mmCIF file of all heavy atoms in Angstrom:
data_model
loop_
_atom_site.group_PDB
_atom_site.id
_atom_site.type_symbol
_atom_site.label_atom_id
_atom_site.label_comp_id
_atom_site.label_asym_id
_atom_site.label_seq_id
_atom_site.Cartn_x
_atom_site.Cartn_y
_atom_site.Cartn_z
ATOM 1 N N THR A 22 -4.296 -3.221 20.136
ATOM 2 C CA THR A 22 -3.100 -2.753 20.830
ATOM 3 C C THR A 22 -2.353 -1.779 19.938
ATOM 4 O O THR A 22 -2.526 -1.766 18.713
ATOM 5 C CB THR A 22 -2.165 -3.920 21.194
ATOM 6 O OG1 THR A 22 -1.637 -4.467 19.974
ATOM 7 C CG2 THR A 22 -2.875 -4.988 22.006
ATOM 8 N N ILE A 23 -1.494 -0.980 20.548
ATOM 9 C CA ILE A 23 -0.720 -0.020 19.764
ATOM 10 C C ILE A 23 0.220 -0.737 18.801
ATOM 11 O O ILE A 23 0.454 -0.258 17.691
ATOM 12 C CB ILE A 23 0.025 0.985 20.667
ATOM 13 C CG1 ILE A 23 0.600 2.107 19.790
ATOM 14 C CG2 ILE A 23 1.049 0.296 21.522
ATOM 15 C CD1 ILE A 23 1.022 3.336 20.531
ATOM 16 N N THR A 24 0.703 -1.904 19.199
ATOM 17 C CA THR A 24 1.577 -2.671 18.301
ATOM 18 C C THR A 24 0.805 -3.108 17.057
ATOM 19 O O THR A 24 1.309 -3.000 15.941
ATOM 20 C CB THR A 24 2.160 -3.892 19.027
ATOM 21 O OG1 THR A 24 2.851 -3.442 20.195
ATOM 22 C CG2 THR A 24 3.113 -4.667 18.143
ATOM 23 N N THR A 25 -0.412 -3.568 17.238
ATOM 24 C CA THR A 25 -1.253 -3.960 16.102
ATOM 25 C C THR A 25 -1.538 -2.758 15.211
ATOM 26 O O THR A 25 -1.459 -2.856 13.982
ATOM 27 C CB THR A 25 -2.568 -4.588 16.596
ATOM 28 O OG1 THR A 25 -2.243 -5.746 17.373
ATOM 29 C CG2 THR A 25 -3.468 -4.966 15.442
ATOM 30 N N LEU A 26 -1.855 -1.620 15.825
ATOM 31 C CA LEU A 26 -2.105 -0.401 15.050
ATOM 32 C C LEU A 26 -0.864 0.007 14.274
ATOM 33 O O LEU A 26 -0.957 0.396 13.102
ATOM 34 C CB LEU A 26 -2.550 0.730 15.969
ATOM 35 C CG LEU A 26 -3.960 0.608 16.533
ATOM 36 C CD1 LEU A 26 -4.175 1.635 17.638
ATOM 37 C CD2 LEU A 26 -4.986 0.772 15.438
ATOM 38 N N MET A 27 0.300 -0.084 14.907
ATOM 39 C CA MET A 27 1.552 0.295 14.245
ATOM 40 C C MET A 27 1.790 -0.590 13.018
ATOM 41 O O MET A 27 2.104 -0.093 11.932
ATOM 42 C CB MET A 27 2.721 0.173 15.230
ATOM 43 C CG MET A 27 4.051 0.603 14.663
ATOM 44 S SD MET A 27 5.370 0.677 15.894
ATOM 45 C CE MET A 27 5.473 -1.007 16.428
ATOM 46 N N LEU A 28 1.609 -1.886 13.180
ATOM 47 C CA LEU A 28 1.805 -2.809 12.063
ATOM 48 C C LEU A 28 0.773 -2.577 10.959
ATOM 49 O O LEU A 28 1.105 -2.624 9.772
ATOM 50 C CB LEU A 28 1.744 -4.254 12.559
ATOM 51 C CG LEU A 28 2.891 -4.670 13.480
ATOM 52 C CD1 LEU A 28 2.608 -6.037 14.090
ATOM 53 C CD2 LEU A 28 4.210 -4.656 12.748
ATOM 54 N N ALA A 29 -0.468 -2.301 11.336
ATOM 55 C CA ALA A 29 -1.518 -2.054 10.344
ATOM 56 C C ALA A 29 -1.255 -0.766 9.567
ATOM 57 O O ALA A 29 -1.440 -0.725 8.347
ATOM 58 C CB ALA A 29 -2.884 -1.987 11.032
ATOM 59 N N VAL A 30 -0.794 0.277 10.251
ATOM 60 C CA VAL A 30 -0.475 1.547 9.581
ATOM 61 C C VAL A 30 0.634 1.332 8.559
ATOM 62 O O VAL A 30 0.538 1.763 7.409
ATOM 63 C CB VAL A 30 -0.090 2.638 10.610
ATOM 64 C CG1 VAL A 30 0.576 3.829 9.935
ATOM 65 C CG2 VAL A 30 -1.313 3.093 11.392
ATOM 66 N N LYS A 31 1.705 0.646 8.962
ATOM 67 C CA LYS A 31 2.824 0.405 8.044
ATOM 68 C C LYS A 31 2.399 -0.475 6.867
ATOM 69 O O LYS A 31 2.786 -0.213 5.728
ATOM 70 C CB LYS A 31 3.997 -0.244 8.795
ATOM 71 C CG LYS A 31 4.710 0.679 9.755
ATOM 72 C CD LYS A 31 5.291 1.896 9.083
ATOM 73 C CE LYS A 31 6.413 1.544 8.147
ATOM 74 N NZ LYS A 31 6.954 2.709 7.442
ATOM 75 N N ALA A 32 1.606 -1.504 7.125
ATOM 76 C CA ALA A 32 1.150 -2.393 6.047
ATOM 77 C C ALA A 32 0.263 -1.638 5.059
ATOM 78 O O ALA A 32 0.423 -1.786 3.840
ATOM 79 C CB ALA A 32 0.400 -3.586 6.639
ATOM 80 N N MET A 33 -0.625 -0.814 5.584
ATOM 81 C CA MET A 33 -1.507 -0.069 4.692
ATOM 82 C C MET A 33 -0.712 0.970 3.903
ATOM 83 O O MET A 33 -0.986 1.188 2.722
ATOM 84 C CB MET A 33 -2.633 0.590 5.474
ATOM 85 C CG MET A 33 -3.658 1.218 4.568
ATOM 86 S SD MET A 33 -5.242 1.464 5.360
ATOM 87 C CE MET A 33 -6.034 -0.050 4.896
ATOM 88 N N GLN A 34 0.272 1.582 4.529
ATOM 89 C CA GLN A 34 1.121 2.554 3.822
ATOM 90 C C GLN A 34 1.805 1.879 2.627
ATOM 91 O O GLN A 34 1.812 2.405 1.525
ATOM 92 C CB GLN A 34 2.160 3.130 4.784
ATOM 93 C CG GLN A 34 3.103 4.123 4.129
ATOM 94 C CD GLN A 34 4.254 4.511 5.049
ATOM 95 O OE1 GLN A 34 4.716 3.717 5.870
ATOM 96 N NE2 GLN A 34 4.715 5.737 4.899
ATOM 97 N N ARG A 35 2.355 0.695 2.849
ATOM 98 C CA ARG A 35 3.020 -0.046 1.765
ATOM 99 C C ARG A 35 2.026 -0.453 0.677
ATOM 100 O O ARG A 35 2.321 -0.368 -0.512
ATOM 101 C CB ARG A 35 3.728 -1.279 2.321
ATOM 102 C CG ARG A 35 5.017 -0.984 3.029
ATOM 103 C CD ARG A 35 5.798 -2.259 3.351
ATOM 104 N NE ARG A 35 5.054 -3.152 4.218
ATOM 105 C CZ ARG A 35 5.108 -3.135 5.549
ATOM 106 N NH1 ARG A 35 5.864 -2.263 6.169
ATOM 107 N NH2 ARG A 35 4.404 -3.991 6.263
ATOM 108 N N ASP A 36 0.848 -0.898 1.091
ATOM 109 C CA ASP A 36 -0.162 -1.340 0.126
ATOM 110 C C ASP A 36 -0.646 -0.180 -0.740
ATOM 111 O O ASP A 36 -0.799 -0.323 -1.959
ATOM 112 C CB ASP A 36 -1.327 -1.987 0.867
ATOM 113 C CG ASP A 36 -2.169 -2.857 -0.041
ATOM 114 O OD1 ASP A 36 -1.601 -3.563 -0.895
ATOM 115 O OD2 ASP A 36 -3.404 -2.812 0.101
ATOM 116 N N ILE A 37 -0.862 0.973 -0.132
ATOM 117 C CA ILE A 37 -1.291 2.149 -0.893
ATOM 118 C C ILE A 37 -0.202 2.560 -1.873
ATOM 119 O O ILE A 37 -0.479 2.857 -3.039
ATOM 120 C CB ILE A 37 -1.684 3.309 0.047
ATOM 121 C CG1 ILE A 37 -2.997 2.976 0.750
ATOM 122 C CG2 ILE A 37 -1.806 4.625 -0.721
ATOM 123 C CD1 ILE A 37 -3.382 3.945 1.859
ATOM 124 N N ALA A 38 1.048 2.566 -1.421
ATOM 125 C CA ALA A 38 2.156 2.941 -2.305
ATOM 126 C C ALA A 38 2.240 1.978 -3.502
ATOM 127 O O ALA A 38 2.444 2.405 -4.645
ATOM 128 C CB ALA A 38 3.468 2.951 -1.534
ATOM 129 N N ARG A 39 2.053 0.701 -3.237
ATOM 130 C CA ARG A 39 2.088 -0.292 -4.316
ATOM 131 C C ARG A 39 0.942 -0.058 -5.302
ATOM 132 O O ARG A 39 1.138 -0.075 -6.520
ATOM 133 C CB ARG A 39 1.989 -1.699 -3.722
ATOM 134 C CG ARG A 39 1.993 -2.808 -4.747
ATOM 135 C CD ARG A 39 1.852 -4.180 -4.072
ATOM 136 N NE ARG A 39 1.373 -5.151 -5.005
ATOM 137 C CZ ARG A 39 0.086 -5.349 -5.323
ATOM 138 N NH1 ARG A 39 -0.857 -4.642 -4.773
ATOM 139 N NH2 ARG A 39 -0.259 -6.279 -6.188
ATOM 140 N N ASN A 40 -0.252 0.168 -4.788
ATOM 141 C CA ASN A 40 -1.399 0.408 -5.669
ATOM 142 C C ASN A 40 -1.274 1.709 -6.437
ATOM 143 O O ASN A 40 -1.684 1.794 -7.593
ATOM 144 C CB ASN A 40 -2.704 0.362 -4.874
ATOM 145 C CG ASN A 40 -3.074 -1.051 -4.480
ATOM 146 O OD1 ASN A 40 -2.717 -2.009 -5.149
ATOM 147 N ND2 ASN A 40 -3.780 -1.190 -3.375
ATOM 148 N N GLU A 41 -0.682 2.736 -5.827
ATOM 149 C CA GLU A 41 -0.438 3.992 -6.541
ATOM 150 C C GLU A 41 0.527 3.772 -7.697
ATOM 151 O O GLU A 41 0.327 4.305 -8.793
ATOM 152 C CB GLU A 41 0.116 5.058 -5.594
ATOM 153 C CG GLU A 41 -0.908 5.646 -4.679
ATOM 154 C CD GLU A 41 -0.323 6.619 -3.670
ATOM 155 O OE1 GLU A 41 0.858 6.474 -3.281
ATOM 156 O OE2 GLU A 41 -1.053 7.528 -3.263
ATOM 157 N N ALA A 42 1.570 2.980 -7.449
ATOM 158 C CA ALA A 42 2.530 2.693 -8.516
ATOM 159 C C ALA A 42 1.857 1.925 -9.652
ATOM 160 O O ALA A 42 2.074 2.227 -10.833
ATOM 161 C CB ALA A 42 3.715 1.900 -7.957
ATOM 162 N N LEU A 43 1.025 0.963 -9.309
ATOM 163 C CA LEU A 43 0.327 0.192 -10.337
ATOM 164 C C LEU A 43 -0.683 1.054 -11.081
ATOM 165 O O LEU A 43 -0.873 0.896 -12.291
ATOM 166 C CB LEU A 43 -0.366 -1.019 -9.712
ATOM 167 C CG LEU A 43 0.574 -2.136 -9.261
ATOM 168 C CD1 LEU A 43 -0.177 -3.156 -8.406
ATOM 169 C CD2 LEU A 43 1.232 -2.811 -10.453
ATOM 170 N N ALA A 44 -1.321 1.983 -10.387
ATOM 171 C CA ALA A 44 -2.318 2.854 -11.019
ATOM 172 C C ALA A 44 -1.694 3.806 -12.019
ATOM 173 O O ALA A 44 -2.394 4.372 -12.861
ATOM 174 C CB ALA A 44 -3.082 3.642 -9.956
ATOM 175 N N SER A 45 -0.395 3.982 -11.950
ATOM 176 C CA SER A 45 0.279 4.876 -12.902
ATOM 177 C C SER A 45 1.223 4.113 -13.839
ATOM 178 O O SER A 45 2.030 4.718 -14.533
ATOM 179 C CB SER A 45 1.040 5.966 -12.149
ATOM 180 O OG SER A 45 2.030 5.388 -11.325
ATOM 181 N N ASP A 46 1.092 2.797 -13.868
ATOM 182 C CA ASP A 46 1.931 1.954 -14.720
ATOM 183 C C ASP A 46 1.376 1.956 -16.147
ATOM 184 O O ASP A 46 0.321 1.382 -16.427
ATOM 185 C CB ASP A 46 1.953 0.534 -14.161
ATOM 186 C CG ASP A 46 2.871 -0.397 -14.932
ATOM 187 O OD1 ASP A 46 3.283 -0.058 -16.060
ATOM 188 O OD2 ASP A 46 3.185 -1.470 -14.392
ATOM 189 N N ALA A 47 2.085 2.593 -17.044
ATOM 190 C CA ALA A 47 1.625 2.755 -18.429
ATOM 191 C C ALA A 47 1.545 1.426 -19.187
ATOM 192 O O ALA A 47 0.931 1.362 -20.256
ATOM 193 C CB ALA A 47 2.541 3.719 -19.167
ATOM 194 N N THR A 48 2.120 0.368 -18.654
ATOM 195 C CA THR A 48 2.068 -0.919 -19.346
ATOM 196 C C THR A 48 0.770 -1.665 -19.081
ATOM 197 O O THR A 48 0.486 -2.649 -19.758
ATOM 198 C CB THR A 48 3.260 -1.814 -18.946
ATOM 199 O OG1 THR A 48 3.161 -2.134 -17.555
ATOM 200 C CG2 THR A 48 4.585 -1.133 -19.237
ATOM 201 N N LEU A 49 -0.023 -1.204 -18.118
ATOM 202 C CA LEU A 49 -1.290 -1.873 -17.804
ATOM 203 C C LEU A 49 -2.420 -1.303 -18.657
ATOM 204 O O LEU A 49 -2.365 -0.155 -19.098
ATOM 205 C CB LEU A 49 -1.631 -1.694 -16.324
ATOM 206 C CG LEU A 49 -0.654 -2.317 -15.329
ATOM 207 C CD1 LEU A 49 -1.091 -2.021 -13.903
ATOM 208 C CD2 LEU A 49 -0.543 -3.825 -15.536
ATOM 209 N N ASP A 50 -3.441 -2.116 -18.868
ATOM 210 C CA ASP A 50 -4.581 -1.622 -19.653
ATOM 211 C C ASP A 50 -5.473 -0.718 -18.784
ATOM 212 O O ASP A 50 -5.308 -0.642 -17.566
ATOM 213 C CB ASP A 50 -5.377 -2.770 -20.269
ATOM 214 C CG ASP A 50 -6.062 -3.662 -19.256
ATOM 215 O OD1 ASP A 50 -6.570 -3.157 -18.235
ATOM 216 O OD2 ASP A 50 -6.111 -4.886 -19.491
ATOM 217 N N ASP A 51 -6.398 -0.045 -19.419
ATOM 218 C CA ASP A 51 -7.240 0.937 -18.735
ATOM 219 C C ASP A 51 -8.046 0.335 -17.583
ATOM 220 O O ASP A 51 -8.223 0.977 -16.550
ATOM 221 C CB ASP A 51 -8.187 1.610 -19.728
ATOM 222 C CG ASP A 51 -7.459 2.576 -20.653
ATOM 223 O OD1 ASP A 51 -6.297 2.929 -20.354
ATOM 224 O OD2 ASP A 51 -8.058 2.981 -21.665
#
């Protein structure tokens, strides 16, 4: 359904943003 797609798009957007932030976190190891 479009509601499911809308929720999935928003969830994935947040997850990607979180992973991008972690991928550039200088306190983490390589």
